[in-house]
Amino acid sequence: MRVSQASLRLFASASYVALCLSIGETDAQAQTAPSQGGASSLPAVTVNPPETRRRPAPPATRTSTNAGRARRTQAARRNETAPAASPPAAPSFGPSQAAQTGTVGVYANSASVATKTNTPLIDIPQSVSVLTKEFIQDQGFQTLTDVTRYVPGVAIHQGEGNRDELVIRGVDSSANFFVNGFRDDVQYFRDLYNAQSVEVLKGPSALTFGRGAGGGLVNRTLKEADGTRIYQATAQTGSYNDRRVSLDAGQAVNENVAVRLNTFYENSNTFRDYGHFERYGFNPTVTLKPTDDTKIKLSYEYYHDERLADRGNPSLGLPGGATRFNPTAPFAPNGDLTTFYGSPIYNQARVDVQTGMAVIEHDFGNGLTAKNSTLYADYNRGYRNVYPGGTGGGPGGGAVTPDLTQVSLNAYQNDTPRENVFNQTDFVYKTATGPVLHTVAFGTEFGRETGLSRRDSGIFPDNGNRAFDVVNPFNPTYFGPVLFTHLPSDANSKYRLNIASGYVQDQIEATRWLQFFLGARYDSFDLSAFDFNTNINRSRVDEKVSPRVAIIVKPLDNLSVYTAYSTSFLPASGDQFSALSPGTLILQPQKFENTEVGVKWNIQPKLLFTAAIYELNRTNVPIADPNNPGFFFPSGANQIRGFETAVTGYVTPDWQTVFGYAYTDARITSATSPTIVPGNRVQLVPFNQFAWWNKYQIDQRWAASLGIIYFSDSFASSDDTVRLPGFWRFDAGLFAKIDETWSAQLNVENIFNTGYWATADGNNNISPGQGRTFRVLARARF
């Protein structure tokens, strides 16, 4: 297959411009680009492909190495027996997003997020959970963290009441979030109005994503203009005066242009006193096909979220300060889980996000394809909290005093804007060396992240301008004044991070039953931070190579057994890398090493069973030096061992199921503080986690669902002082298809109105779970 010179020039020009943007070149530098690469120098051309030429769309079940006629035949037979998928997209744009991944209902056959190539889940040597668009809609959940409760091995961290934060395989992170494979590491609450799917990867994934992601990561794949005609509007209401509307509209304009718009607005109160939020967003996308071999995708998103920040409830102090293994340590006044410990005047979390993406895909023929992707994102973000805290020496140290008369409140505000620019170039080459088949992927990533981290401490004029105030734990909502002032100990840093990465991997099919996965990634992490408090600029460069190897044995086409080893690293500046101190400047990055053995089995054409056992070792965890404040020993360590299993898909044509169980033993193996010592359990990690969601199609009009969630007990922090009791939660749904245009659904979360403690951010910021909640939604498809 030959490519016209115009196509090559178009691709090279766009790649060059995107790369310039990603590394922040000046206009003067950009002007040094060869003039023949500019769009203005291209002569007008007319592309007339041969009339008999037609590139067939790859089947959804195509393997990553073009496995052979027998396997494709078997895959075709599976598709014949599977539930019908949505209608295909217009031929000029190829298969729809759902068809590309073989997605039907809650089942997805393949994903590209884990390997950079569209690979069947059964051939990915890693634990991967795909939450499809249909599963998200049927749950009625709109937030990223809520929907992950049905994923084994994932727990929700409170995130100071102002952001998404997850604990995956015992590793806590507020930064391991991605969108379309790009890093989305700013701390905020994400909505799912424009999500095609959510993929949760377990274990280190540095080969594909770079630094961090030691326990795993979450990627949102967004809806795109794929040529499929869709016009869908929804209106939702429910408990706490919830009001939400959304629109998803798109179609092919002609054989070369497709458009799509996703937008929503929501305004609601919450089950907590004074709780409220408002959020909205719109995301137009355009796909262009200037030639048969080239596709250009453009996307812009504006997203706004503003809400009452809520850091939950304090714990209950006991005489002598002993709260260890006390099952009633979290405190709720008279059992009331709605009481707000903070200030309705000051508590706030807000973010405005603007994101632009441009992707150019090109097929060079002879097995070689290329993709150049660029993202620019601007995050205008800040938050303010009045919360139960121990700073300043207040009574109880943030906990309710043993006589139940006092609890101390602290306050602070943070301003954390950031700009991200990334450019990724990925090549995939499918070839063979004799009988051995290869899918080779290689590429680069360049990026720059710049921002500000400024913290101001709160003082309370009514309490002598001290750093705390004291309230009655049975009437704790604070309406007094707070003054926010910058102290020398508060962060005030302007930072710039440059990253440069390159990777190569090979998915090798040696025989029909034996595959190998080999890969490595080089990362340069170049961080500089100017401290406005001291007028000192500090910088550090970390350069690391992260390998990944795996062996996959397939005794049957629908059964794989794998063993895998992977690593990742986290620089000493941490997830948010916003500052460097003399202590962190000399620390080596943390290291994550994961060894995993697993099995994947397509029990039926659209029913996947997975199971894995693993050991994850985290080393170089900083330990504060008690004799040298601000400095650390890099000798802390954690060991996480676990077992995970899941069943996802169609048990029968009418019965869909999502089942997951995880046993996680996450332990401190080397002390990281005087109270976080070997043998302690890692915070917020239950030994046992169970989730099971089922949807049954009763007849052509009615369907019903039932979900069960169980978390065994865990600890609010890794000092194992405050225990969070285990809990069961039951959810349900009822679905009605009224006619070809209208449908409706009713979701009930926490059917039995069970009171439980859902998550925490330390021993004195513990969030209760939401009580019984109703949502009613009407959907129109035109």
Side-chain angles (χ1 to χ4, degrees):
M1 183 180 300
R2 296 189 178 274
V3 185
S4 69
Q5 291 294 322
S7 297
L8 289 174
R9 288 182 180 178
L10 175 63
F11 184 80
S13 175
S15 300
Y16 177 81
V17 172
L19 182 59
C20 290
L21 289 173
S22 72
I23 60 176
E25 291 189 346
T26 64
D27 291 340
Q29 290 172 319
Q31 290 171 4
T32 64
S35 61
Q36 63 267 27
S40 60
S41 65
L42 288 175
V45 297
T46 302
V47 178
N48 295 309
E51 294 182 357
T52 58
R53 179 186 181 194
R54 182 182 295 271
R55 285 170 39 227
T61 55
R62 175 183 177 183
T63 66
S64 61
T65 53
N66 293 329
R69 181 177 302 174
R71 197 171 312 176
R72 290 195 297 267
T73 301
Q74 184 170 2
R77 288 200 301 268
R78 290 180 188 168
N79 285 339
E80 289 174 0
T81 60
S86 58
S92 61
F93 289 92
S96 66
Q97 283 183 283
Q100 291 176 38
T101 56
T103 297
V104 181
V106 301
Y107 176 83
N109 183 74
S110 67
S112 59
V113 65
T115 63
K116 296 281 191 177
T117 64
N118 191 15
T119 304
L121 297 181
I122 198 171
D123 291 337
I124 298 177
Q126 184 177 8
S127 294
V128 181
S129 297
V130 178
L131 308 175
T132 67
K133 177 180 64 176
E134 288 76 9
F135 176 70
I136 295 169
Q137 289 178 349
D138 287 346
Q139 290 283 8
F141 294 148
Q142 307 298 342
T143 64
L144 189 62
T145 49
D146 277 343
V147 78
T148 58
R149 286 196 184 276
Y150 282 87
V151 179
V154 180
I156 296 175
H157 188 285
Q158 183 201 84
E160 298 181 78
N162 63 68
R163 60 181 180 261
D164 292 326
E165 189 163 345
L166 296 174
V167 183
I168 305 177
R169 284 190 174 176
V171 180
D172 173 25
S173 176
S174 64
N176 289 328
F177 296 95
F178 294 79
V179 55
N180 285 357
F182 287 108
R183 193 172 290 274
D184 181 33
D185 51 7
V186 174
Q187 299 174 329
Y188 69 105
F189 286 112
R190 297 153 181 85
D191 196 274
L192 299 178
Y193 77 101
N194 58 347
Q196 176 70 17
S197 62
V198 174
E199 299 87 17
V200 183
L201 280 64
K202 314 288 185 57
S205 297
L207 174 62
T208 309
F209 295 95
R211 70 182 190 272
L217 61 90
V218 177
N219 178 74
R220 287 178 296 144
T221 297
L222 302 186
K223 301 171 185 176
E224 64 183 42
D226 59 6
T228 304
R229 186 187 187 280
I230 180 169
Y231 286 89
Q232 176 177 286
T234 68
Q236 174 183 295
T237 188
S239 300
Y240 319 117
N241 198 29
D242 182 37
R243 293 152 292 169
R244 180 183 176 101
V245 293
S246 70
L247 173 68
D248 182 359
Q251 68 174 53
V253 178
N254 54 46
E255 62 180 7
N256 298 318
V257 180
V259 296
R260 191 167 186 174
L261 171 67
N262 276 273
T263 185
F264 88 106
Y265 175 84
E266 184 171 18
N267 193 316
S268 178
N269 298 327
T270 74
F271 78 104
R272 298 275 281 179
D273 291 342
Y274 307 101
H276 62 86
F277 64 86
E278 181 184 43
R279 54 188 174 186
Y280 50 85
F282 60 91
N283 177 204
T285 65
V286 178
T287 299
L288 311 173
K289 287 203 68 176
T291 74
D292 189 48
D293 298 317
T294 304
K295 184 182 292 186
I296 302 172
K297 303 175 185 177
L298 305 175
S299 172
Y300 169 78
E301 180 181 13
Y302 178 83
Y303 173 73
H304 170 85
D305 183 284
E306 185 169 348
R307 65 184 63 213
L308 181 83
D310 184 355
R311 291 188 61 164
N313 291 30
S315 61
L316 172 63
L318 297 179
T323 55
R324 185 175 295 275
F325 304 123
N326 175 21
T328 61
F331 179 81
N334 301 316
D336 184 3
L337 298 180
T338 67
T339 303
F340 175 54
Y341 285 76
S343 168
I345 300 172
Y346 295 103
N347 284 52
Q348 181 194 50
R350 58 166 178 79
V351 68
D352 289 281
V353 184
Q354 296 191 73
T355 305
M357 278 185 275
V359 179
I360 305 173
E361 299 174 350
H362 188 78
D363 187 344
F364 289 96
N366 299 319
L368 178 63
T369 60
K371 181 170 74 170
N372 186 272
S373 308
T374 301
L375 174 141
Y376 169 80
D378 178 77
Y379 304 87
N380 184 8
R381 180 181 181 272
Y383 57 97
R384 182 184 294 152
N385 259 313
V386 178
Y387 68 104
T391 301
V400 176
T401 56
D403 62 3
L404 304 181
T405 61
Q406 295 178 307
V407 63
S408 298
L409 300 180
N410 294 152
Y412 67 98
Q413 68 178 11
N414 275 352
D415 189 27
T416 58
R418 181 179 297 172
E419 289 185 72
N420 287 353
V421 182
F422 297 106
N423 177 260
Q424 300 173 352
T425 302
D426 301 293
F427 292 91
V428 177
Y429 182 52
K430 296 187 178 184
T431 186
T433 53
V436 179
L437 303 178
H438 300 265
T439 299
V440 181
F442 57 96
T444 60
E445 180 176 18
F446 299 94
R448 173 172 289 180
E449 302 184 63
T450 57
L452 174 72
S453 177
R454 178 186 171 93
R455 179 185 175 98
D456 298 320
S457 295
I459 60 174
F460 294 84
D462 289 353
N463 194 28
N465 287 329
R466 288 190 284 184
F468 68 91
D469 207 338
V470 180
V471 295
N472 181 343
F474 291 89
N475 186 25
T477 305
Y478 182 75
F479 294 94
V482 181
L483 298 179
F484 294 94
T485 183
H486 188 75
L487 303 179
S489 58
D490 290 332
N492 191 8
S493 177
K494 183 178 181 180
Y495 58 87
R496 185 199 66 202
L497 170 65
N498 290 326
I499 62 168
S501 306
Y503 75 94
V504 61
Q505 70 179 36
D506 192 1
Q507 296 167 262
I508 305 169
E509 185 170 338
T511 69
R512 186 202 61 78
W513 53 269
L514 181 62
Q515 299 178 18
F516 298 94
F517 190 105
L518 306 173
R521 179 182 176 116
Y522 163 82
D523 284 286
S524 173
F525 184 92
D526 182 356
L527 174 65
S528 64
F530 182 82
D531 188 341
F532 287 102
N533 291 334
T534 61
N535 290 324
I536 295 175
N537 188 74
R538 302 181 179 91
S539 61
R540 177 185 171 93
V541 178
D542 288 298
E543 296 177 312
K544 291 292 182 181
V545 175
S546 303
R548 180 179 177 186
V549 296
I551 301 173
I552 306 171
V553 178
K554 300 191 70 174
L556 301 171
D557 284 338
N558 64 337
L559 175 66
S560 67
V561 180
Y562 68 89
T563 180
Y565 170 83
S566 59
T567 68
S568 184
F569 73 97
L570 178 66
S573 49
D575 270 343
Q576 294 301 320
F577 59 84
S578 55
L580 282 171
S581 68
T584 59
L585 191 65
I586 60 176
L587 281 176
Q588 291 298 311
Q590 297 183 45
K591 184 177 182 180
F592 301 86
E593 293 183 276
N594 187 76
T595 304
E596 183 170 328
V597 177
V599 60
K600 299 186 179 184
W601 177 28
N602 270 118
I603 304 172
Q604 296 180 15
K606 296 296 179 184
L607 184 65
L608 179 64
F609 165 81
T610 64
I613 57 174
Y614 66 90
E615 179 176 293
L616 173 62
N617 289 293
R618 180 179 190 175
T619 55
N620 291 343
V621 180
I623 302 172
D625 183 351
N627 299 315
N628 195 0
F631 287 81
F632 306 86
F633 300 113
S635 56
N638 300 347
Q639 183 180 72
I640 302 99
R641 294 174 171 172
F643 166 76
E644 297 168 353
T645 187
V647 178
T648 305
Y650 284 82
V651 181
T652 71
D654 295 322
W655 177 13
Q656 299 182 65
T657 191
V658 176
F659 168 89
Y661 168 77
Y663 172 81
T664 311
D665 186 6
R667 298 283 183 174
I668 306 297
T669 53
S670 179
T672 57
S673 77
T675 58
I676 301 177
V677 297
N680 281 15
R681 291 167 58 186
V682 175
Q683 70 176 104
L684 299 177
V685 182
F687 279 129
N688 296 286
Q689 179 185 347
F690 167 84
W692 191 15
W693 182 87
N694 299 272
K695 180 182 179 182
Y696 189 78
Q697 192 69 39
I698 301 170
D699 55 31
Q700 291 186 348
R701 170 165 292 185
W702 294 99
S705 69
L706 177 66
I708 306 171
I709 295 173
Y710 170 71
F711 279 70
S712 64
D713 63 21
S714 61
F715 287 100
S717 74
S718 296
D719 64 9
D720 288 10
T721 297
V722 178
R723 184 190 294 268
L724 305 183
F727 65 89
W728 289 88
R729 197 185 84 189
F730 294 82
D731 305 328
L734 183 64
F735 310 86
K737 182 179 179 181
I738 301 171
D739 55 32
E740 293 302 316
T741 299
W742 291 96
S743 61
Q745 69 184 68
L746 166 68
N747 292 95
V748 185
E749 178 182 325
N750 195 0
I751 300 171
F752 300 111
N753 201 29
T754 302
Y756 64 96
W757 298 98
T759 183
D761 183 33
N763 289 336
N764 291 305
N765 295 153
I766 307 169
S767 295
Q770 187 164 277
R772 185 187 297 115
T773 302
F774 296 89
R775 300 183 187 91
V776 179
L777 180 143
R779 179 179 293 110
R781 294 180 65 98
F782 302 98

